[in-house]
């Protein structure tokens, strides 16, 4: 029986499967060769180095995330369903989420640059139409939820045995409501400072925005409770 011809696509497929199962640390030339049942020679002939192969695998992970988002999108609730899809992908494919989201990005020096690189440019106008807010505020809202959801997904994908999906989605829903309320306030009062609003924690308390001074207690300084 003639030997199977190893192609570059087969090498990338094997690398992707290894990372999907065991994370980036599972990606070695020996592991790829063992998976394909060949020597290491074909691996080296297609891949200049492991860094270039990791880039191709990361691109595949990004494609998997985008495909999941497209399948999970609810046209009647674009904004919320997109955020939920990120969290669900992080739980179902933690290794791919880390590759697709927790990757080094070049040319990012501001929130605006991050938004342009990560977001669908047409999404803000669609969100604005659905929520009845100006497009500018929809972009502000979309950016803040994007940052929040990426962080939430990172936590979600790195915890063992793992935070339940229902708890993660409840946390996201609380943040969604807080950010949406802030976006509507900004729409009613143009010129408000561009600082992220405080998001409520899962226990109902408010997570303080580090860019703002702490708010005074409504009844004055809080007294220490006697033991």
């Amino acid at each position: 029986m003639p030997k199977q011809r190893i192609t570059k696509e087969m090498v990338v497929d094997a690398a992707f499967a290894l990372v999907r199962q065991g994370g980036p640390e599972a990606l070695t030339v020996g592991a790829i060769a063992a998976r394909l049942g060949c020597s290491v020679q074909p691996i080296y002939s297609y891949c200049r180095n492991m860094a270039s192969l990791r880039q191709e695998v990361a691109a595949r992970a990004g494609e998997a995330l985008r495909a999941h988002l497209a399948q999970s999108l609810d046209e009647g609730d674009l904004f919320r369903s997109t955020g939920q899809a990120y969290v669900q992908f992080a739980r179902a494919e933690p290794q791919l989420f880390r590759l697709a989201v927790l990757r080094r990005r070049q040319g990012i020096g501001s929130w605006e640059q991050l938004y342009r690189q990560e977001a669908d440019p047409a999404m803000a106008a669609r969100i604005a139409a659905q929520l009845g807010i100006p497009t500018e505020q929809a972009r502000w809202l979309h950016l803040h939820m994007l940052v929040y959801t990426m962080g939430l997904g990172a936590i979600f994908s790195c915890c063992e045995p793992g935070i339940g999906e229902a708890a993660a989605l409840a946390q996201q829903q609380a943040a969604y409501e807080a950010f949406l309320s802030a976006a509507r306030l900004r729409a009613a009062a143009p010129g408000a400072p561009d600082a992220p609003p405080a998001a409520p924690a899962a226990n109902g308390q408010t997570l303080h925005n580090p860019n703002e001074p702490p708010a005074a207690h409504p009844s004055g300084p809080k007294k220490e409770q006697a033991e």
Side-chain angles (χ1 to χ4, degrees), residues 179-225:
F179 286 135
L180 178 57
S181 176
R184 284 178 169 151
L185 286 174
R186 288 170 60 85
D194 188 16
N203 60 6
Q205 295 180 344
T206 298
L207 299 179
H208 175 60
N209 173 10
N211 295 324
E212 297 176 354
H217 191 273
S219 58
K222 189 175 181 180
K223 295 180 180 179
E224 292 293 329
Q225 197 172 29

Side-chain angles (χ1 to χ4, degrees), residues 56-79:
E56 294 200 50
V57 172
R60 284 269 188 100
E63 291 170 5
L65 174 57
R66 287 188 291 274
H68 176 81
L69 293 176
Q71 291 171 357
S72 305
L73 200 63
D74 179 356
E75 289 293 336
D77 193 358
L78 289 170
F79 184 62

Side-chain angles (χ1 to χ4, degrees), residues 68 87-95 156 165:
H68 176 81
V87 170
Q88 289 161 352
F89 186 81
R91 182 171 179 80
E93 299 283 1
Q95 304 295 353
F156 199 45
E165 185 174 313

Side-chain angles (χ1 to χ4, degrees), residues 2-214:
K3 290 185 178 180
Q4 182 184 27
R5 180 176 179 272
I6 303 300
T7 66
K8 181 178 180 180
E9 185 176 5
M10 291 168 64
V11 172
V12 177
D13 285 345
F16 181 79
L18 286 168
V19 171
R20 187 177 194 177
Q21 183 176 10
E25 59 275 9
L27 184 57
T28 65
V29 172
I32 296 171
R35 191 174 187 92
L36 293 175
C38 67
S39 69
V40 299
Q41 173 106 28
I43 317 301
Y44 286 119
S45 66
Y46 288 121
C47 303
R48 297 189 306 275
N49 51 54
M50 291 303 289
S52 64
L53 182 56
R54 288 192 182 94
Q55 288 178 351
E56 294 200 50
V57 172
R60 284 269 188 100
E63 291 170 5
L65 174 57
R66 287 188 291 274
H68 176 81
L69 293 176
Q71 291 171 357
S72 305
L73 200 63
D74 179 356
E75 289 293 336
D77 193 358
L78 289 170
F79 184 62
R80 189 163 10 202
S81 65
T82 301
Q84 289 174 347
Y86 266 95
V87 170
Q88 289 161 352
F89 186 81
R91 182 171 179 80
E93 299 283 1
Q95 304 295 353
L96 297 187
F97 182 88
R98 292 183 192 127
L99 265 184
V101 176
L102 306 183
R103 58 183 171 80
R104 184 174 295 278
R105 291 166 172 80
Q106 301 295 330
I108 302 297
S110 69
W111 292 120
E112 176 64 22
Q113 289 172 337
L114 176 68
Y115 184 77
R116 288 180 180 177
Q117 187 175 115
E118 297 296 324
D120 178 349
M123 187 61 75
R126 297 170 70 187
I127 291 171
Q130 279 196 353
L131 299 180
I133 59 177
T135 302
E136 180 184 351
Q137 303 309 326
R139 289 182 82 258
W140 182 92
L141 174 63
H142 195 200
L143 165 64
H144 285 72
M145 274 306 291
L146 176 67
V147 172
Y148 184 88
T149 299
M150 289 171 69
L152 182 61
I155 293 170
F156 199 45
S157 67
C158 296
C159 291
E160 293 290 347
I163 298 170
E165 185 174 313
L169 292 177
Q171 178 74 33
Q172 187 183 52
Q173 176 66 22
Y176 166 78
E177 292 171 358
F179 286 135
L180 178 57
S181 176
R184 284 178 169 151
L185 286 174
R186 288 170 60 85
D194 188 16
N203 60 6
Q205 295 180 344
T206 298
L207 299 179
H208 175 60
N209 173 10
N211 295 324
E212 297 176 354

